[in-house]
Each structure stands twice: as structure tokens, then as C-alpha cells.
Amino acid sequence: MLKDAKRVVVKVGSALVTNDGRGLDVAAIERWATQIAALQKMGKEVILVSSGAIAEGVLRLGWHSRPDQVYQLQAAAAVGQMGLVQAYETHFRDHGIGTAQVLLTHQNLTDREQYLNARMTIRELLRLGIVPVVNENDTVVTNEIKVGDNDTLGALVTNLVEADVLVILTDQRGLYTADPRKNPEAEFVATARAGDPALEKMAGGAASSLSKGGMITKILAAKRAARSGAGTIIASGREEDVLVRLANGEHIGTHLEPVSYTH
Ligand code: GLU
């Protein structure tokens, strides 16, 4: 899927970015920058959707756990986002690649004029060879109007820029038919059709013991991405050279192919 893709959205989750909440995983960020630089050399355009602002902010503020109050989460996001952009900018610079911060809200993507502006800006950044680093603008949105999780945001960005593939890097290998830690019969799903309702059942069962967004938001993100014809790959961000190997045609993780609507 990634081999033939021209425009790719790569989403990295909080657990990966912040080393399970221990602090920005600079080595991992450096590896993704190196891999994305390689993808660019293959002629691909890459947009990065990165979580981790709240987790990093909580650490930087010296708080011992994730707070409950929205204003505290918003403050943490604002603090942590600085760490994210600093790390991405530094490591992409090592490859001569510029980055750009793009903070979006659900409202930005539902208002026609704002949607078109965001689309035009990201397209121009890609034309300039810049890697847009996208996150939700957590500081200005409340729970009711949040996109909420970056799997969904990744899919919305995929629709926005009409990307060919959404790659969701996580701390799991991909999707299993059941939770592999509870059910020894669980089988790995290498390929499936995005939007297949059976996938939601598989992911639903496993969601409780998986990391924050869980597998279900990834399955729903794949369904959403398929609406603009994009395929989704769910793979481990800890797998060595995962993006480059995918781009070379290797099958790693779960590949969810877009359903073609013929009627
Ligand atoms: N926007 C949130 C953050 O950067 C992440 C949401 C998510 O983990 O999906 O902390």
C-alpha cells in the first residue's frame, strides 16, 4: 500500500512519542525523521500527526498523574506541544527538512472556509518540501467539541489532503481477532477491508487493555480514511525501519484496504 502511495499521513501515538509517559523519546523521533526523510527521497509527501502534547506537558509541569480538569489538560497540552515541535524541528533539520506546526480543531474542519484554508496551507507546505506536524489545538477546545483522539484526527487530515495512505504507528503489532493477552486463540489480522463491521467487534474486545485511543479508534479511523479512498496501515512504531520497509513493499502490521463503492 505504501509502496505506490504518493501522499502519506503518518500518525504517532502518545505512548510512542513519550516513551510510555517517561519523557519525549528523542531517539524514536530521530528514527522517524530519518525514515520520513527517506520516504521524501522516494518522492512521497508526508504529513505527520503527532500526539504526546498532554503527556509531555504533564511531565514538564512535574505533575504525577494526568489531571481531570479540562483547563489543566489544556495547560499541559500547551506546555508539551513546545517540546514536540522543538524535537521534530531539530531532528528533521538534521536531514535538511523543514517542519511546520499545524494545530487544528474539529470546527476548523467543518467550517467550509477554514477547511479550504487548512487544505491549501498543507498542500503548499508539501509543495515546499516541508513536513507539516499536526496536532489537535487542545488549548482552545472543550470536551464536547473535541476531535478527541489523534487516530480520528489522522483520518480527518487524510480526507482533507486526499492522502493515499494513513499509517498509524502504535505500541501494538496491529489488530488481532481477540485480545492476545487474554485469549490464546487470538489470531493476527494481516489484511482486511476498512469498514468491515467484524473488525469493530475484534477491536472492541481488546480496547480495554490497550493504550489510550485503543484499537477501536484506529479501526474507525480506517473506515473514515477509506471514505476518501485511502488505505490504512496499523503497525508498531517500535519495529525497526517500519516506514521504509513498508515503502519498499514489505507487509508489516495490519493493512486495511479501502472498500471501493461501486454503487
Ligand atoms: N492531542 C493529544 C495530545 O497531543 C493526543 C490525543 C491522542 O492521544 O489521541 O496529547
Side-chain angles (χ1 to χ4, degrees):
M1 249 195 241
L2 197 56
K3 195 168 179 213
D4 302 321
K6 166 89 176 103
R7 187 171 284 173
V8 183
V9 174
V10 176
K11 183 262 174 178
V12 285
S14 296
L16 287 180
V17 175
T18 65
N19 204 355
D20 288 323
R22 282 191 288 272
L24 275 186
D25 191 341
V26 179
I29 289 174
E30 201 259 312
R31 288 197 299 274
W32 299 324
T34 304
Q35 293 181 58
I36 290 171
L39 261 51
Q40 273 200 349
K41 285 217 178 74
M42 295 177 188
K44 301 184 195 303
E45 297 170 333
V46 184
I47 299 128
L48 192 61
V49 174
S50 177
S51 305
I54 294 176
E56 176 62 11
V58 166
L59 273 175
R60 289 189 174 209
L61 289 164
W63 295 345
H64 298 294
S65 58
R66 194 183 157 97
D68 298 324
Q69 300 295 331
V70 173
Y71 62 88
Q72 291 175 308
L73 291 167
Q74 289 173 319
V79 170
Q81 183 67 21
M82 297 301 281
L84 294 191
V85 294
Q86 187 180 35
Y88 286 120
E89 172 66 13
T90 303
H91 292 288
F92 277 99
R93 267 286 151 230
D94 289 345
H95 298 278
I97 298 170
T99 58
Q101 173 176 252
V102 179
L103 296 177
L104 295 172
T105 63
H106 190 258
Q107 193 191 356
N108 296 152
L109 298 171
T110 49
D111 176 279
R112 179 88 186 136
E113 200 180 327
Q114 293 180 31
Y115 180 92
L116 293 175
N117 275 324
R119 185 169 75 170
M120 222 152 35
T121 304
I122 296 177
R123 281 185 181 168
E124 180 62 6
L125 290 168
L126 293 173
R127 198 187 63 77
L128 294 166
I130 303 281
V131 174
V133 180
V134 181
N135 198 354
E136 184 159 16
N137 194 355
D138 292 313
T139 305
V140 299
V141 288
T142 52
N143 280 338
E144 298 73 39
I145 54 165
K146 260 176 100 72
V147 175
D149 69 85
N150 277 6
D151 296 324
T152 307
L153 183 65
L156 291 170
V157 171
T158 300
N159 297 152
L160 177 72
V161 300
E162 288 169 10
D164 304 299
V165 176
L166 166 64
V167 183
I168 300 181
L169 294 182
T170 180
D171 55 359
Q172 309 287 314
R173 197 181 143 210
L175 177 70
Y176 286 83
T177 52
D179 187 338
R181 281 158 298 192
K182 290 186 193 146
N183 188 340
E185 317 245 294
E187 278 171 36
F188 187 71
V189 179
T191 308
R193 279 156 67 103
D196 182 343
L199 301 177
E200 288 169 41
K201 285 202 195 82
M202 296 174 194
S208 56
S209 56
L210 295 175
S211 68
K212 239 185 352 181
M215 205 43 81
I216 188 72
T217 55
K218 293 170 180 51
I219 298 302
L220 295 175
K223 185 175 176 179
R224 196 184 284 270
R227 286 192 202 152
S228 56
T232 297
I233 299 171
I234 305 167
S236 168
R238 299 205 168 106
E239 184 83 43
E240 196 168 333
D241 268 341
V242 59
L243 294 173
V244 173
R245 285 162 58 201
L246 282 167
N248 283 329
E250 204 175 313
H251 192 119
I252 306 169
T254 298
H255 293 210
L256 300 171
E257 283 157 3
V259 188
S260 49
Y261 293 101
T262 48
H263 52 269

